Amino acid sequence: MSDVELAPMDVAGRVPRLVELLPTAGPDEQPVDGLLVTSLTNIRYLTGFTGSAALLVVHADGLLLVTDGRYRDQSAEQLAAAGVDARIEISNQQQKEVVHDGVTGFGIATLGLEAEHVSWAQQQSYATEWFEAAELVPTRGVIEDLREVKDAGEIARIAAAAGLADQALANIRTRLLERPTEEEFGLELDTEMRRLGATAPSFETIVASGPHGALPHARPTDRVIEAGDLVVLDFGALVDGYCSDMSRTIMVGEPSAQQQRMLHVVREAQQAGVDAVKPGLGAAELDKVCRDVIDGYGWADAFLHSTGHGVGLDIHERPRVGPKGDATLAAGYVVTVEPGVYLPDHGGVRIEDTLVVTDDGCRPLTLAPKTTAA
Ligand code: ZN
Ligand code: ZN
């Protein structure tokens, strides 16, 4: 995407929003004085830093980023570019002391940890060796909740990633008629996305043909794609850290009556889901919209997974769009709608779009045609 100017992201606005949440970030909405951020994805979100090692202490009075010598220049440059004001400490051996002194320096008595990102061993070490004076408390999903609402720059990156994936499929789609193996077609799709400017695929590309299509997350094999196969493609691109996610199901040759019915049902369920997406809709309600259509055709048991998920810096992030999803959609959320039907004797069909929730509905970011012929 080197020749495309993407709208800027409001990285600097994120820490102030996080600081506002600290007074209720602990268990039972107890206050924490500061937060130790250990998830590198969350550190990237808050600061723009993309290195592979860092710790971030967040406090109302300031930010402390601790990383190692490999990232001395990069950390300074990336935080400056993002407009994030932080003290950066470079330490190879003394991270424990540096972080401890930072926490003490901010006067933090109650330090929140990211419970979903800290191992048991790490928590033990923090409690007994790093922060003996501070009370450590678990926090859950505080930054992940902030990440649910994307700003214009984030949406631009996801849209760019989706556009690359659309174009890649358009460029090589007819190759499915030339009897490639699943692995060969997957590799060509990945290469084409890279050639068009993607950093990488946003996850391991799924090419599931014929009977393999009945396994929702089949990995590509050396199976040759033949006439009579439904081919489930599930793939996405990564652009500036942001993911896209799309499934299309392509029929090679003439569909049987049952395959035609599967394609019709999933198409109808997916469209019903897309049409329903708007602010205020519950994630579980959205799941039910798609599930009810499939249920109506008697295939409730053939829809083996949730309807969708949030997409952003992670390929799967909040909100969860499934029967137990407790989130409520809001403008700026980016979610997938991806119902499927999987029948061992006939293969699988899944159709998935990545959508951004707008003020009065949604806008699909994945625009590849849903026509089924190769
Ligand atoms: Zn997908
Ligand atoms: Zn997905």
Side-chain angles (χ1 to χ4, degrees), residues 245 309 336 338 352:
D245 191 3
H309 53 88
T336 69
E338 51 177 304
E352 172 182 31

Side-chain angles (χ1 to χ4, degrees), residues 114-126:
E114 295 182 286
E116 291 147 316
H117 301 291
V118 176
S119 70
W120 185 314
Q122 195 65 59
Q123 188 274 339
Q124 300 280 302
S125 170
Y126 287 151

Side-chain angles (χ1 to χ4, degrees), residues 121-140:
Q122 195 65 59
Q123 188 274 339
Q124 300 280 302
S125 170
Y126 287 151
T128 59
E129 297 168 26
W130 287 54
F131 309 112
E132 288 163 50
E135 182 195 356
L136 301 182
V137 298
T139 69
R140 288 173 203 283

Side-chain angles (χ1 to χ4, degrees), residues 150-188:
K150 272 71 177 175
D151 68 32
E154 294 180 284
I155 292 166
R157 282 154 180 77
I158 300 168
L164 290 181
D166 287 345
Q167 189 61 50
L169 178 58
N171 290 358
I172 69 162
R173 186 177 172 121
T174 57
R175 268 283 285 140
L176 284 170
L177 298 171
E178 298 168 15
R179 302 184 72 250
T181 66
E182 294 172 346
E183 283 167 337
E184 285 166 349
F185 190 79
L187 179 62
E188 287 181 37

